C-alpha cells in the first residue's frame, strides 16, 4: 500500500486579544500572533501545527511550505533535511529571535517544529493512534499545569479595563491567583517577575505562600537580577519557592548562583538549544530545563531532550508563550509521553478568550488537562473561528512581537530590566 504524500500546505497567520502582561522587556501588545499550519495529503488526511507568526518567521514558513508537496509525512529525518536546505538557500542559515528574550543561532528547529507536529498528526490519524503513542506511549492520562500569574495593568491604555483588572502589588497578585485557582483548579503557581524591585516581587511570593500554604510556587524574572541579587533572593525565598527560573542571564551567571544556593534553578533562556546543554551541565548552572517544542525542533527532539535531562539527573518542565489549542494539544501529547516530566507545565491558555480548535476536547479540571485519546493530536480546526482570527490578524496592525517598542509608546524612557537589580 502506498503511503500518503503531502500535496498542499496552508499557513494561516492569526491574531487574538492579549492583556497588558508586564515583563522584563516591556508589556504584551493588544494582539498576540500565531500561525496555524495545515498539511493536506493526497489521501485526504490533514495534520495541524502551530507556531510563531512574526513577519520573518512567516517568510521562512512560506519558503518551506512551497517545497513540501511530495514529502512523505513519515520521513521526519527527510523533513529536517528539507527545512535545513530551504533555510540555507533562503537565509544562509541565519538565527532567529522571538519576543526580545529568546535568541537561537539557527532558525531550523523553530521552523521545523510546526511541520513535524503536523506530520505526526497525519501519521497518528492514518494509523488511528494518538501522538503520545508515536512518542513511546502515554505514562499519564492527565497533564498538570501551573497557573501563570503576571503583573499587569487594568487594561491597555486607551482601551476599557479587561476582566482580570490590575495586578501591581501583592494584593493584586493574590487576587489574580484566586481567580486562577477557582477557575482552573491549578495546583501550583508561577509569577512572571522582572517588573518590580526584587523586594516587591519577594513580597508577592510571600503573600502567595500565606494565601496558599501548600501550593508549589515559582518566580521567573527573566534575568532581571545580578548574580549577587539572585543569591540574596534565593536565600530569602529558600523553602518558599519550588524553583527560581532564570534569575540572572547566561550560563556563567546561573552557575554562580547555583553554587551559592540550594534553591533549584530552572531555565528557558540560557538553555534553549541542544548546543547549550553541554556547557550548562559542565557548569552545573541549572537543575531544571523548561522544554518548548516550538524552540527545540518539535516533539521527537523534545523527547530526546527529556532523555538527556534524565541522564544527567536534571529536572524537566515545560515553557509556555501565548498560544492556542493546537499548541496545547501538542504540549499535552508530549507531556503524556515524557516519563521524567515531573513538574507541572506552564501555560498561557487561561489568558486567551478565543481559539481555532473545535471545543470539547481540551479542558482544565483540577489544574490538569486530560490527554486526548483520539487519533493524532486529537483536535480539529474550527474553520469559522480560524477565519475570525485571521481577519483579526489582517486588521490589527501588529506584525511582530515588540514588547519594548509598545512599552516605549506608553513610557518613552523605558529600558529593558535585564540584570537591572
Amino acid at each position: 500500500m502506498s503511503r500518503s504524500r503531502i500535496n498542499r500546505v496552508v499557513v494561516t497567520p492569526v491574531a487574538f486579544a492579549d492583556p497588558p502582561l508586564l515583563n522584563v522587556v516591556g508589556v504584551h501588545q493588544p494582539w498576540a500572533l500565531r500561525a496555524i499550519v495545515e498539511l493536506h495529503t493526497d489521501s485526504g488526511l490533514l495534520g495541524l501545527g502551530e507556531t510563531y507568526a512574526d513577519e520573518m518567521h512567516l517568510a521562512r514558513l512560506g519558503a518551506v511550505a512551497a517545497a513540501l508537496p511530495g514529502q512523505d509525512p513519515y520521513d521526519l529525518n527527510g523533513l529536517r533535511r528539507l527545512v535545513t536546505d530551504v533555510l540555507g538557500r533562503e537565509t544562509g542559515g541565519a538565527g532567529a529571535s522571538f519576543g526580545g528574550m529568546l535568541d537561537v543561532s539557527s532558525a531550523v528547529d523553530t521552523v521545523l517544529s510546526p511541520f513535524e507536529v503536523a506530520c505526526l498528526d497525519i501519521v497518528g490519524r492514518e494509523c488511528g493512534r494518538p501522538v503520545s503513542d508515536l512518542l513511546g506511549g502515554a505514562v499519564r492520562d492527565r497533564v498538570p499545569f501551573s497557573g501563570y500569574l503576571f503583573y499587569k495593568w487594568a487594561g491597555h491604555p486607551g482601551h476599557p479595563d479587561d476582566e482580570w483588572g490590575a495586578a501591581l502589588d501583592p494584593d493584586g497578585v493574590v487576587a489574580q491567583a484566586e481567580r486562577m485557582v477557582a477557575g482552573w483548579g491549578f495546583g501550583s503557581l508561577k509569577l512572571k517577575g522582572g517588573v518590580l524591585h526584587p523586594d516587591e516581587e519577594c513580597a508577592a511570593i510571600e503573600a502567595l505562600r500565606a494565601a496558599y500554604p501548600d501550593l508549589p510556587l515559582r518566580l521567573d524574572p527573566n534575568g532581571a537580577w545580578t548574580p549577587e541579587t539572585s543569591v540574596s533572593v534565593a536565600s530569602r525565598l529558600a523553602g518558599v519557592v519550588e524553583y527560581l527560573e532564570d534569575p540572572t542571564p547566561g550560563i556563567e551567571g546561573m552557575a554562580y548562583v547555583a553554587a551559592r544556593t540550594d534553591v533549584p534553578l530552572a531555565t528557558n533562556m540560557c538553555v534553549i538549544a541542544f548546543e547549550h546543554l553541554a556547557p550548562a551541565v559542565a557548569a552545573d548552572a541549572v537543575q531544571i530545563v523548561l522544554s518548548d517544542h516550538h524552540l527545540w525542533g518539535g516533539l521527537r527532539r523534545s523527547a530526546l531532550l527529556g532523555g538527556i535531562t534524565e541522564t544527567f539527573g536534571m529536572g524537566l518542565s515545560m515553557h509556555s508563550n501565548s498560544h492556542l489549542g493546537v499548541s496545547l494539544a501538542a504540549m499535552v501529547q508530549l507531556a503524556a509521553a515524557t516519563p521524567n516530566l515531573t513538574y507541572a507545565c506552564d501555560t498561557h491558555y487561561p489568558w486567551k478568550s478565543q481559539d481555532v480548535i473545535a471545543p470539547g476536547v481540551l479542558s482544565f479540571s483540577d489544574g490538569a488537562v486530560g490527554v486526548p485519546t483520539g487519533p493524532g493530536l486529537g483536535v480539529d480546526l474550527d474553520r469559522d473561528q480560524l477565519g475570525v482570527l485571521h481577519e483579526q490578524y489582517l486588521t490589527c496592525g501588529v506584525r511582530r512581537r515588540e514588547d519594548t517598542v509598545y512599552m516605549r509608546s506608553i513610557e518613552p524612557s523605558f529600558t529593558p530590566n535585564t540584570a537591572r537589580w
Side-chain angles (χ1 to χ4, degrees):
M1 183 178 69
S2 60
R3 288 179 178 171
S4 299
R5 295 278 173 170
I6 296 167
N7 67 355
R8 186 164 66 95
V9 182
V10 181
V11 179
T12 306
V14 297
F16 56 98
D18 207 12
L21 307 178
L22 297 160
N23 57 57
V24 70
V25 297
V27 61
H28 285 207
Q29 296 149 280
W31 298 94
L33 306 180
R34 300 295 276 183
I36 304 301
V37 171
E38 301 175 49
L39 300 185
H40 297 262
T41 73
D42 52 14
S43 61
L45 295 170
L46 166 63
L48 300 175
E50 179 186 328
T51 184
Y52 313 103
D54 65 270
E55 289 175 308
M56 184 173 290
H57 193 59
L58 285 175
R60 289 167 169 163
L61 295 173
V64 171
L68 271 177
Q71 178 72 21
D72 180 351
Y74 286 75
D75 184 10
L76 300 180
N77 290 327
L79 175 65
R80 185 174 182 84
R81 289 194 300 273
L82 183 149
V83 172
T84 302
D85 290 346
V86 168
L87 295 189
R89 293 194 301 269
E90 296 290 329
T91 68
S97 179
F98 300 95
M101 288 183 274
L102 301 176
D103 297 286
V104 290
S105 59
S106 169
V108 168
D109 283 327
T110 56
V111 174
L112 170 68
S113 176
F115 297 111
E116 186 250 24
V117 171
C119 283
L120 288 171
D121 192 19
I122 289 171
V123 173
R125 290 173 186 271
E126 187 163 68
C127 67
R129 304 294 288 268
V131 164
S132 58
D133 282 358
L134 307 181
L135 300 175
V139 298
R140 55 184 66 89
D141 59 10
R142 292 173 56 77
V143 175
F145 286 85
S146 182
Y148 210 156
L149 311 178
F150 284 82
Y151 290 105
K152 67 179 294 293
W153 298 326
H156 287 281
H159 297 263
D161 291 353
D162 61 47
E163 60 184 10
W164 289 88
L168 296 168
D169 56 24
D171 288 344
V173 170
V174 170
Q176 189 181 107
E178 290 171 346
R179 178 170 179 169
M180 284 279 185
V181 172
W184 289 268
F186 290 116
S188 62
L189 297 168
K190 169 178 168 176
L191 175 62
K192 175 65 74 178
V195 176
L196 306 176
H197 188 278
D199 287 343
E200 296 179 70
E201 297 186 350
C202 286
I205 290 291
E206 290 160 349
L208 288 169
R209 170 54 66 234
Y212 297 100
D214 300 322
L215 263 60
L217 303 176
R218 310 163 181 179
L219 177 57
D220 172 21
N222 284 126
W225 309 332
T226 64
E228 293 77 13
T229 296
S230 301
V231 172
S232 177
V233 170
S235 176
R236 176 171 171 173
L237 296 182
V240 179
V241 292
E242 181 180 33
Y243 58 71
L244 286 176
E245 181 182 337
D246 289 306
T248 198
I251 290 173
E252 183 178 355
M254 291 282 280
Y256 177 95
V257 179
R260 291 162 176 81
T261 181
D262 291 329
V263 175
L265 303 185
T267 187
N268 177 63
M269 294 183 71
C270 68
V271 179
I272 58 172
F274 283 96
E275 61 262 29
H276 302 152
L277 282 165
V281 169
D284 194 22
V286 297
Q287 289 71 56
I288 301 157
V289 176
L290 275 67
S291 67
D292 186 332
H293 73 273
H294 306 91
L295 287 169
W296 286 85
L299 303 183
R300 292 200 317 157
R301 286 175 71 79
S302 295
L304 173 61
L305 170 64
I308 293 172
T309 57
E310 186 174 33
T311 297
F312 288 100
M314 304 166 81
L316 186 67
S317 186
M318 192 176 290
H319 168 258
S320 168
N321 211 319
S322 299
H323 64 87
L324 295 168
V326 177
S327 279
L328 181 62
M331 293 165 69
V332 169
Q333 294 285 351
L334 172 63
T338 307
N340 62 315
L341 198 150
T342 55
Y343 291 90
C345 303
D346 293 343
T347 181
H348 283 64
Y349 209 60
W351 290 106
K352 63 112 189 83
S353 58
Q354 296 174 293
D355 210 339
V356 296
I357 63 168
V361 178
L362 301 176
S363 61
F364 285 84
S365 174
D366 296 328
V369 176
V371 181
T373 57
L377 293 177
V379 297
D380 295 303
L381 283 179
D382 181 326
R383 295 257 171 219
D384 290 340
Q385 282 300 106
L386 180 65
V388 169
L389 270 66
H390 179 56
E391 184 64 27
Q392 289 173 180
Y393 172 83
L394 295 175
T395 59
C396 73
V398 176
R399 290 296 177 266
R400 65 191 67 85
R401 182 174 169 182
E402 295 182 309
D403 291 18
T404 303
V405 172
Y406 179 50
M407 175 66 93
R408 284 175 176 162
S409 73
I410 301 157
E411 298 181 12
S413 63
F414 175 80
T415 56
N417 293 329
T418 303
R420 169 164 291 182
W421 290 290

